[in-house]
């Protein structure tokens, strides 16, 4: 159990008695030390699995932690977010502590906030509504009442997004409406649990008898409310281990503060404080940049920074690339990703990270155009899909019937049994033709089959009942199975994770730091966000920015100020320079000097900036001269092709590109090549067939008979979030502990 740990990590794992605080930088093995500590304690017989509560930041992290604990032989330990642990306790104690049925949990509070605003006769547009919702959430996690809100806000030094008195009125009415309707929101779960534990010693006693040992990951981002809950769970006991990195505090805007981490010893004078400095995740090149970034940081978190020392072999230097415009940046990034995939790196080992979720669309387009499958983080909500729920019911039924289920006759191991049951629900070995709902349903079932296969591999002796239990666990945690695809995620959502190759995109001043970061503290938080991004990379790191938003637009942007002195050619601050020299690369468009002209609507001539409209080459609202019949034929052809290639349809062409083809009806290669989304690679693979269809001719029956094409993307990739086209950017899953509207705001 202790073999895979270095001496300091071992100290974390073996100091099972008293309070322990681990202060350490990114990639130093904090999470690893934490899981080993639990597993070691369980093995040594010091910790009873059911008496341990491990708290992590997101449901996904909790799911991963459960997986790791199981592998280390410590199944049965609860790993949850603050929110999900509290919700469970609340539901359990509600009838006894308060009486009656527990209230319903509000899905999306924004609607109720809108109603409250309307009743206060305050008109709010979508963005204002989100701002006010964010303020309400901030108030709740900082335990601020509506009456106190204006004063507390003034004291916090933050800019109010709108008149505080108005916000306070909406907040008060929103609370009233919730009470009237017996619903509670996300924050109420924590508030009510804290209330019950404070007021009812008998309930607190029961909880404390159940949980005696606590570990908390990502402790730098704990909110005052979560901290209070932790104290109530703990009582006067000392079996607590917290780990965190003040330099990765990125949720201060939700009321979180690293003070709890940094002042741990003040509250627990006997605490063992352990520092880890060996970075096991990233190459010296990546670590050098991370250290350089933190070298310029200011504020309390920065005072506690530790210089990281990479334990890995040397790797490539980080690459800095400047592009003329955003679509060019996305296309350049997609091209690099294609090269990495061609060199054998799995898609699941690659991520594109950006500051706000709205940036994803142009990357979705570019990846789709390059035939690269992707998954949007936070967009899954997999277990809520009806087909997944129905499949779960069928699997549970089969598990209950055990060997007596005729469905399972002759089915061998666990994955075969699952395939047998799901076949009865419409799963087939081959995906159905076409896209849309049928295909989506199939993709969900296929993901379940894959999940069963992975589970069977990890636990060869697992039964169907074990799998059903696992599915329930995951469903509770909203932990969708991983799909083979490049990850697209906001920097906030990337916390705690790692990939071999990371692309940090859109690093312009204005986006990083984001324009609305005004105070020095807010700017420092942005710098930490970039630090989090940099330290996600194991080996390949690319940082890019675009000088203009759209082709032909004014090139008035400059790269992020955080890269000054670090990026080649920006003047060495304090003698720091990324080693190895090398300059900033010029991406397509920037390199050619011949900047692309603006894309204009071919109907009304307006300059287009929306990526979707740019693809269509006209405004969404302008009349379309779409050849409907051709469009349908193209879609059918695409479905066939996607099926043969075992890829999502968008990897052949996106809806927008097909639409543009069916509008332009090109009659030669040059005409086809002018359509956005038809690159050289796609022209080469699909050009002839598309032109045949455009000419109104039939394709020969054998056309496209290239199944198993060596170009096929590893794993085929399931189209998890965005459906058939890249239109849907997905919503940040409200499932995660922190994905309240505030974080949506920050993450978007
Ligand atoms: P973050 O701050 O980003 O959450 P962390 O400190 O939690 O990072 P981990 O995710 O636990 O770091 O570890 C980073 C990587 O280094 C993981 O791939 C982990 O398996 C590996 N690692 C950690 N400690 C060791 C070790 N002693 N030997 C080998 N690999 C290690
Ligand atoms: Mg970690």
């Amino acid at each position: 159990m202790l073999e895979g740990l270095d001496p300091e990590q071992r100290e974390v794992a073996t100091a099972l008695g008293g309070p322990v605080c681990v202060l350490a930088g990114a990639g130093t093995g904090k999470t690893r030390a934490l899981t080993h500590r639990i597993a070691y304690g369980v093995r040594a017989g010091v910790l009873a699995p059911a008496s341990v509560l491990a708290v992590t930041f997101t449901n996904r992290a909790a799911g991963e932690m459960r997986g790791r604990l199981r592998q280390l032989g410590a199944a049965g330990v609860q790993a949850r977010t603050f929110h999900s642990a509290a919700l469970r306790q609340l539901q359990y104690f509600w009838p006894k502590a308060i009486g009656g049925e527990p209230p319903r949990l509000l899905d999306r509070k924004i609607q109720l906030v809108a109603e409250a605003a309307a009743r206060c006769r305050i008109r709010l547009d979508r963005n204002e509504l989100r701002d006010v919702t964010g303020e309400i959430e901030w108030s709740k996690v900082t335990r601020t009442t509506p009456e106190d809100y204006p004063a507390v806000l003034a004291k916090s030094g933050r800019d109010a997004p709108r008149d505080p008195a108005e916000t306070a009125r909406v907040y008060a009415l929103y609370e009233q409406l919730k009470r009237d309707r017996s619903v509670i929101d996300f924050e109420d779960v924590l508030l009510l649990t804290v209330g019950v534990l404070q007021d009812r010693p008998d309930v607190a006693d029961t909880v404390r008898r159940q949980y005696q040992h606590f570990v908390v990951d990502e402790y730098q981002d704990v909110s005052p409310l979560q901290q209070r809950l932790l104290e109530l769970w703990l009582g006067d006991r000392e079996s607590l281990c917290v780990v965190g990195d003040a330099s990765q505090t990125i949720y201060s805007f939700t009321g979180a503060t690293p003070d709890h981490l940094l002042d741990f010893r003040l509250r627990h004078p006997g605490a063992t404080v352990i520092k880890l400095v060996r970075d096991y995740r990233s190459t010296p090149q990546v670590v050098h940049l991370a250290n350089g970034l933190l070298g310029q940081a200011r504020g309390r978190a920065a005072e506690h920074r530790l210089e990281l020392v990479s334990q890995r072999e040397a790797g490539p230097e980080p690459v800095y690339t400047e592009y003329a415009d955003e679509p060019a940046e996305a296309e350049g990034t997609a091209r690099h990703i294609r090269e990495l995939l061609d060199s054998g790196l799995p898609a699941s080992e690659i991520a594109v990270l950006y500051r706000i979720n709205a940036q994803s669309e142009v990357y979705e387009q570019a990846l789709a155009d390059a035939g690269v499958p992707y998954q949007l983080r936070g967009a899954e909500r997999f277990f809520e899909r009806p087909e997944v729920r129905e499949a779960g019911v069928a699997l549970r039924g089969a598990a209950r019937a055990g060997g007596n289920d005729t469905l399972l006759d002759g089915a061998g191991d666990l994955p075969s049994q699952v395939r047998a049951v799901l076949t009865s629900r419409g799963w087939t070995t081959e995906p159905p033709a076409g896209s849309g709902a049928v295909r989506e349903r199939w993709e969900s079932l296929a993901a379940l089959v894959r999940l069963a296969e992975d589970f069977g591999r990890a636990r060869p002796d697992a039964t169907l009942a074990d799998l059903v239990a696992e599915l329930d666990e995951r469903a509770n945690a909203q932990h969708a199975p991983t799909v083979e695809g490049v990850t697209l995620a906001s920097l906030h959502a990337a916390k705690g994770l790692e990939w071999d190759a990371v692309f940090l995109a859109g690093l312009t001043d204005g986006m990083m730091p984001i324009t609305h970061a005004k105070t020095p503290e807010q700017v420092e938080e942005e710098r930490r966000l970039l630090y989090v991004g940099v330290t996600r990379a194991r080996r390949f790191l690319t940082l890019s920015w675009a000088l203009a938003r759209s082709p032909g637009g004014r090139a008035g942007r400059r790269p992020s100020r955080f890269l000054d002195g670090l990026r080649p050619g920006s003047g060495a601050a304090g003698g720091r320079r990324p080693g190895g020299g090398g300059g900033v690369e010029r991406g397509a468009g920037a390199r050619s000097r011949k900047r692309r002209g603006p894309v204009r609507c071919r109907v009304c001539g307006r300059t287009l900036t929306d990526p979707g409209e740019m693809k269509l080459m006209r405004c969404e609202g302008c009349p379309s001269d779409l050849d409907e019949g051709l469009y349908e034929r193209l879609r059918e052809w695409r479905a066939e092709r996607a099926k043969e290639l075992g890829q999502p349809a968008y990897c052949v062409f996106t809806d927008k590109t097909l639409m543009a083809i069916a509008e332009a009806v090109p009659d030669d290669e040059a005409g086809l090549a002018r359509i956005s989304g038809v690159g050289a690679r796609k022209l080469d693979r699909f050009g002839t067939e598309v032109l045949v269809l455009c000419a109104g001719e039939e394709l020969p029956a054998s056309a496209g008979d290239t199944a198993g094409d060596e170009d096929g993307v590893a794993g085929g990739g399931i189209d998890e979030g965005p459906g058939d086209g890249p239109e849907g950017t997905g919503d940040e899953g409200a499932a995660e502990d922190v994905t309240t509207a505030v974080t949506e705001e920050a993450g978007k």
Side-chain angles (χ1 to χ4, degrees):
M1 196 60 59
L2 300 177
E3 250 169 35
L5 301 180
D6 68 22
E8 290 80 21
Q9 291 172 336
R10 217 170 273 189
E11 213 183 322
V12 178
T14 52
L16 291 170
V20 176
C21 172
V22 180
L23 286 169
T28 53
K30 294 183 296 296
T31 304
R32 181 171 164 127
L34 210 65
T35 40
H36 279 71
R37 174 188 165 91
I38 298 171
Y40 173 75
V42 168
R43 267 303 167 83
V46 180
L47 309 177
S51 72
V52 182
L53 181 58
V55 187
T56 67
F57 201 69
T58 59
N59 281 316
R60 183 176 293 265
E64 275 169 19
M65 189 175 273
R66 278 195 295 275
R68 285 207 216 173
L69 286 170
R70 196 161 48 215
Q71 273 172 1
L72 293 170
V77 170
Q78 294 285 324
R80 297 186 173 271
T81 61
F82 275 105
H83 180 261
S84 93
L87 182 60
R88 226 165 148 240
Q89 294 176 9
L90 196 62
Q91 281 168 339
Y92 185 75
F93 287 111
W94 190 274
K96 181 173 158 201
I98 293 160
E101 284 288 298
R104 194 170 58 80
L105 190 61
L106 200 59
D107 271 348
R108 287 183 66 78
K109 64 165 75 68
I110 205 145
Q111 275 153 8
L112 204 59
V113 176
E115 197 181 326
R119 292 207 188 181
C120 293
R121 298 189 189 288
I122 297 173
R123 285 179 69 88
L124 300 175
D125 69 20
R126 243 182 98 220
N127 289 327
E128 292 167 329
L129 197 55
R130 192 178 273 154
D131 282 344
V132 171
T133 307
E135 290 303 298
I136 294 178
E137 287 170 351
W138 177 84
S139 304
K140 297 183 80 161
V141 296
T142 53
R143 311 177 78 201
T144 304
T145 60
E147 303 76 58
D148 293 346
Y149 169 75
V152 174
L153 179 77
K155 229 170 88 192
S156 79
R158 282 191 314 122
D159 271 352
R162 61 183 299 115
D163 176 19
E166 252 180 37
T167 303
R169 270 168 56 215
V170 178
Y171 176 17
L173 192 64
Y174 164 77
E175 291 294 313
Q176 182 62 45
L177 288 177
K178 269 191 306 133
R179 274 193 299 275
D180 293 349
R181 294 174 196 183
S182 305
V183 290
I184 57 174
D185 67 18
F186 203 77
E187 290 73 30
D188 289 332
V189 172
L190 297 186
L191 282 164
L192 287 166
T193 311
V194 163
V196 171
L197 293 178
Q198 263 171 186
D199 299 347
R200 292 288 300 264
D202 56 325
V203 172
D205 271 354
T206 317
V207 173
R208 288 181 196 144
R209 261 198 307 279
Q210 163 84 57
Y211 296 114
Q212 287 152 24
H213 311 278
F214 299 86
V215 303
V216 187
D217 199 359
E218 308 272 2
Y219 189 56
Q220 74 279 359
D221 273 322
V222 77
S223 74
L225 185 54
Q226 292 167 334
Q227 173 63 25
R228 181 70 194 127
L229 182 58
L230 181 62
E231 284 163 10
L232 286 164
W233 280 339
L234 203 59
D236 55 7
R237 297 164 304 174
E238 294 273 64
S239 185
L240 169 66
C241 173
V242 299
V243 312
D245 175 8
S247 299
Q248 291 186 68
T249 306
I250 55 173
Y251 281 94
S252 314
F253 66 95
T254 65
T257 152
D259 292 346
H260 302 294
L261 175 71
L262 296 174
D263 296 336
F264 191 79
R265 235 217 195 117
L266 294 179
R267 268 176 298 116
H268 302 273
T272 312
V273 176
I274 298 165
K275 300 192 173 175
L276 312 173
V277 289
R278 295 183 200 83
D279 183 321
Y280 293 95
R281 176 180 295 145
S282 312
T283 61
Q285 284 70 19
V286 172
V287 167
H288 181 83
L289 175 58
N291 283 333
L293 260 178
L294 282 196
Q296 303 177 351
R298 300 284 168 269
R300 178 147 202 235
E303 286 159 21
H304 291 263
R305 80 186 183 97
L306 296 163
E307 186 98 358
L308 295 172
V309 186
S310 170
Q311 303 299 302
R312 294 193 48 156
E313 282 176 17
E317 286 294 330
V319 175
Y320 298 81
T321 316
E322 180 167 283
Y323 293 92
D325 53 68
E326 283 180 7
E329 183 181 5
E331 283 160 29
T333 304
R335 226 180 355 262
H336 275 153
I337 290 177
R338 189 76 252 176
E339 284 162 16
L340 288 173
L341 292 172
D342 292 346
S343 76
L345 195 67
S348 56
E349 276 307 333
I350 304 174
V352 180
L353 307 179
Y354 34 76
R355 175 65 183 83
I356 57 172
N357 279 325
Q359 286 169 285
S360 79
E361 191 188 4
V362 61
Y363 287 89
E364 292 179 51
Q365 294 261 13
L367 289 176
D369 289 346
V372 176
Y374 56 83
Q375 51 167 331
L376 278 161
R377 246 194 141 60
E380 300 98 344
R381 303 282 238 151
F382 178 80
F383 286 100
E384 282 183 20
R385 298 184 185 167
E387 66 271 21
V388 176
R389 273 208 291 251
E390 288 165 22
V393 171
L395 287 170
R396 189 166 299 116
R400 222 179 289 121
N404 298 327
D405 195 321
T406 45
L407 274 175
L408 300 185
D409 275 350
D413 57 358
L414 176 66
S416 318
Q417 292 176 10
V418 170
R419 280 189 289 265
V421 174
L422 295 188
T423 301
S424 75
R425 311 292 322 163
W427 178 77
T428 47
T429 348
E430 288 300 318
S435 54
V438 175
R439 172 72 185 227
E440 271 168 30
R441 183 187 155 84
W442 182 87
E443 296 283 20
S444 299
L445 297 180
L448 277 177
V449 168
R450 247 188 319 250
L451 197 152
E453 286 164 358
D454 290 346
F455 189 70
R457 252 193 307 278
R459 289 179 54 188
D461 57 347
T463 64
L464 201 50
D466 294 331
L467 178 75
V468 168
E470 167 77 11
L471 292 179
D472 283 347
E473 264 294 299
R474 288 191 186 221
N476 284 336
Q478 281 288 326
H479 184 61
T482 36
V483 296
E484 191 72 17
V486 170
T487 298
L488 294 181
S490 69
L491 288 163
H492 280 102
K495 170 170 169 149
L497 307 174
E498 57 188 24
W499 294 270
D500 280 342
V502 169
F503 292 79
L504 301 178
L507 298 181
T508 56
D509 236 37
M511 196 54 101
M512 178 55 72
I514 198 149
T515 17
H516 61 63
K518 295 213 174 67
T519 65
E521 292 77 33
Q522 288 167 340
V523 172
E524 283 307 310
E525 179 135 319
E526 296 287 305
R527 192 196 308 274
R528 293 191 294 267
L529 198 50
L530 182 56
Y531 171 75
V532 167
V534 166
T535 54
R536 297 310 96 199
R538 293 201 193 97
R539 220 173 118 67
F540 300 99
L541 177 63
T542 300
L543 304 97
S544 63
W545 58 90
L547 297 174
R549 171 152 180 248
S550 3
R554 201 172 68 83
R557 298 171 164 187
R558 63 176 302 265
S560 168
R561 73 187 79 151
F562 298 144
L563 298 177
D564 289 353
L566 299 170
R567 110 190 114 78
S570 62
R576 285 179 191 282
R577 268 187 61 101
V584 171
E585 292 189 6
R586 308 261 163 231
R591 181 182 42 212
S592 67
R593 279 178 183 274
K594 201 181 81 203
R595 300 211 9 254
R596 299 194 291 187
V599 178
R600 296 189 191 283
C601 169
R602 56 197 158 74
V603 184
C604 73
R606 185 174 70 89
T607 300
L608 302 176
T609 53
D610 177 80
E613 293 188 340
M614 276 158 49
K615 285 250 117 127
L616 272 180
M617 296 197 273
R618 65 166 168 83
C619 308
E620 291 274 7
C622 274
S624 136
D625 41 7
L626 179 79
D627 178 339
E628 295 283 350
L630 175 58
Y631 181 58
E632 268 320 301
R633 283 197 301 283
L634 284 167
R635 284 176 61 97
E636 275 165 30
W637 162 82
R638 177 180 68 175
E640 282 289 307
R641 274 310 226 141
K643 185 175 152 194
E644 285 158 12
L645 296 171
Q647 292 185 359
Y650 65 70
C651 286
V652 178
F653 283 119
T654 61
D655 283 354
K656 287 260 157 64
T657 301
L658 286 193
M659 232 179 255
I661 296 175
E663 289 188 2
V665 200
D667 50 15
D668 58 10
E669 275 210 4
L672 184 57
R674 271 197 295 277
I675 289 169
S676 161
V678 187
R681 186 188 178 91
K682 294 207 176 176
L683 200 61
D684 193 38
R685 291 174 94 188
F686 306 125
T688 319
E689 290 166 36
V690 169
L691 287 172
V692 167
L693 289 169
C694 286
E697 291 159 16
E698 291 291 316
L699 282 173
S702 64
D705 190 13
T706 50
D709 188 327
E710 34 154 71
D711 258 358
V713 178
I718 89 155
D719 183 3
E720 191 40 21
D724 179 32
E727 280 81 11
T729 52
D731 203 1
E732 277 293 299
E736 300 197 334
D737 206 3
V738 294
T739 33
T740 53
V742 191
T743 44
E744 268 178 34
E745 164 60 18
K748 269 196 169 131

